[in-house]
Amino acid sequence: MPERIPVIEKIMSANDQLAADNRRKLDEAGIIGLNLMASPGAGKTSLIEQTIRKLSGKLRLAVIDGDIATNIDADRAAAAGARAVQINTGGECHLDAVMLHNALPQLGLDDPLENEPIDLLIVENVGNLVCPASFQLGTHKSVLIASVPEGDDKPYKYPGMYRGVDALVINKIDLLPYVTFNMDYFRRGVEILNPGVVTFPLSCRTGEGLEAWLEWVTAQTQDRSKETHLSPGLKPRG
Ligand SMILES: Nc1nc2c(ncn2[C@@H]2O[C@H](COP(=O)(O)OP(=O)(O)OP(=O)(O)O)[C@@H](O)[C@H]2O)c(=O)[nH]1
Ligand SMILES: [Mg+2]
């Protein structure tokens, strides 16, 4: 039905406009934003906890957590030491720019005398390998976590998510001896979709491989000249 096409375009452009506004707010506050996406249980909150613990004292971190229900993840981020805000989407399977726009004021960015400045904002998207890829938030970089127990075929089955991200974490490598996961097959799929994407195999449980991830995160906050810019369309950047 041809009438539907303009409606969809209108929704996306409204989202992109708010994403641009979110980006402007982050830039004005000197904050680098990461949009962390993954399937449910891949280890988003675990990686956030580790990142907060390891970088506290070096970077000032804040977390905005997206979930359909509960404050569980924001509570975990707060317990690890970050300023944390929870978004409950009430059923939506992804975050969008409107939700982030409504959550940003809760970080207290407009009141720098009352609140410490923030260097890095990690946005934990709702666990889902499809929908989050279609909604820009206004963050600077997008990161996908794959985890070993999900299986090595996920790049082939969820290409949209793998195609547009700026960095890829392969979590739960401590489980490699126990599950069937062909790393070469997985990486071949990634390479077709997103050639040369920076990749961090690691384990949030053992800490193996975390150092390279922490260096990359820190570098994002130090080298703002390499920021990506918002582009129209459905690219899952930020
Ligand atoms: N073995 C192992 N387990 C892990 C690792 N990282 C996370 N887990 C476990 O995986 C489960 C899910 O971790 P979370 O960090 O809650 O995953 P999430 O992606 O935030 O989950 P949702 O927010 O519900 O989508 C927990 O039981 C973690 O302890 C890891 O590196 N190795
Ligand atoms: Mg989580």
Side-chain angles (χ1 to χ4, degrees):
M1 298 230 256
E3 308 88 59
R4 284 195 174 175
I5 294 167
V7 174
I8 292 167
E9 281 178 352
K10 205 170 158 192
I11 291 168
M12 294 315 299
S13 96
N15 187 79
D16 289 353
Q17 279 171 25
L18 267 181
D21 199 48
N22 291 341
R23 169 71 66 88
R24 188 181 50 73
K25 283 196 167 71
L26 294 175
D27 285 342
E28 282 171 5
I31 299 172
I32 288 292
L34 301 183
N35 178 12
L36 193 55
M37 297 177 284
S39 60
K44 297 178 292 298
T45 314
S46 300
L47 187 64
I48 288 170
E49 290 172 319
Q50 288 281 21
T51 305
I52 295 166
R53 291 194 179 112
K54 298 279 194 306
L55 292 181
S56 76
K58 296 178 191 147
L59 289 182
R60 294 159 299 190
L61 269 94
V63 176
I64 293 182
D65 260 297
D67 273 303
I68 289 172
T70 81
N71 291 333
I72 292 172
D73 284 1
D75 288 349
R76 286 172 62 185
R83 202 180 309 173
V85 173
Q86 181 79 48
I87 298 173
N88 280 153
T89 66
E92 290 292 330
C93 57
H94 58 85
L95 292 180
D96 61 28
V98 182
M99 296 178 201
L100 186 62
H101 198 260
N102 292 336
L104 279 176
Q106 296 183 48
L107 291 176
L109 305 179
D110 294 337
D111 196 356
L113 293 178
E114 278 293 313
N115 299 294
E116 206 187 25
I118 294 165
D119 303 306
L120 178 71
L121 169 66
I122 304 180
V123 180
E124 176 177 347
N125 218 310
V126 181
N128 186 327
L129 278 186
V130 183
C131 308
S134 297
F135 289 84
Q136 298 202 48
L137 303 181
T139 45
H140 297 84
K141 294 283 165 72
S142 57
V143 178
L144 172 62
I145 304 181
S147 69
V148 164
E150 289 168 41
D152 51 22
D153 56 1
K154 294 302 169 287
Y156 302 90
K157 296 175 75 172
Y158 299 93
M161 180 59 82
Y162 280 80
R163 197 173 279 128
V165 293
D166 300 298
L168 173 67
V169 170
I170 307 172
N171 189 30
K172 309 194 189 183
I173 57 170
D174 54 295
L175 297 180
L176 280 170
Y178 310 108
V179 296
T180 306
F181 187 93
N182 184 327
M183 188 64 84
D184 290 339
Y185 177 66
F186 176 84
R187 282 181 179 269
R188 273 204 304 280
V190 173
E191 192 57 25
I192 292 164
L193 297 164
N194 197 336
V197 65
V198 58
T199 303
F200 304 102
L202 56 82
S203 167
C204 289
R205 168 127 329 150
T206 67
E208 185 184 354
L210 265 177
E211 206 47 49
W213 159 253
L214 296 169
E215 278 170 23
W216 183 83
V217 169
T218 305
Q220 303 317 302
T221 66
Q222 290 170 349
D223 190 1
R224 297 181 60 98
S225 63
K226 287 186 185 165
E227 286 168 20
T228 55
H229 293 283
L230 281 178
S231 52
L234 300 179
K235 288 171 74 185
R237 296 212 177 271

